[in-house]
Amino acid sequence: MSTIFSKIIAGEIPSYKVYEDDYVCAFLDINPIQKGHTLVVPKVEVDQFFALDEKMFDHMMHRVRYLSQVMKAKLNCERVCVFVEGFGIPHAHVHLVPANKPEDFDKSLVYHATEEELKEVQQLLQS
C-alpha cells in the first residue's frame, strides 16, 4: 500500500518540492511549525527511519545537512532544527524546521500554510 509520501514522490498528489534526486525527495510541509518547514523523504518506502539500509541512511542524512544549509542561508534563520518521529505516516522522514529561538520549535505552533506562502518558499529554496 502506497503512503501519502509515495504518492507525493510519484506526482499523484500535488506538493511543493524543493529538492529531488534518485534517492530522496524534499518538500514543504503544508502544516508547518514555521514557514519553510521541510520534509526529507526516501523514495523507497520504509516504515521506520532506523530500518533504512546504511547507504540510504547516509545519503539521506547528507541531503538533510545540505538542505539545512540552503534553508539557513535562504530563509535567514539562526539555525535549522531537525526531528524524526516514529509514528504518523509509515514512511521514514526527517523534519527540518527553521528557527531563531527555542520557542520557534514548538509543535503547538502548527498552522495551515497558504498556497502563496508555500509557492514563495518553494521558489526561494530552489533558487
Side-chain angles (χ1 to χ4, degrees), residues 55-123:
K55 182 178 177 181
M56 178 60 74
F57 183 90
D58 289 348
H59 181 81
M60 190 166 164
M61 293 312 290
H62 278 94
R63 296 300 87 202
V64 163
R65 180 179 180 196
Y66 165 76
L67 289 164
S68 70
Q69 293 168 340
V70 170
M71 291 171 68
K72 190 174 176 186
K74 301 281 183 156
L75 298 175
N76 197 29
C77 56
E78 186 176 319
R79 63 187 64 225
V80 175
C81 298
V82 177
F83 72 96
V84 177
E85 292 180 304
F87 299 99
I89 297 174
H91 192 140
H93 58 288
V94 175
H95 294 257
L96 299 175
V97 181
N100 290 305
K101 57 190 182 301
E103 296 81 22
D104 292 343
F105 193 54
D106 182 346
K107 290 185 188 178
S108 70
L109 299 174
V110 169
Y111 67 96
H112 186 74
T114 65
E115 185 175 350
E116 294 78 24
E117 175 185 314
L118 293 165
K119 284 181 180 179
E120 172 194 331
V121 175
Q122 179 186 37
Q123 289 177 347

Side-chain angles (χ1 to χ4, degrees), residues 20-38:
E20 186 170 15
D21 64 26
D22 291 340
Y23 305 100
V24 301
C25 183
F27 47 87
L28 298 174
D29 193 320
I30 61 171
N31 294 305
I33 295 173
Q34 294 293 330
K35 183 177 180 176
H37 180 166
T38 300

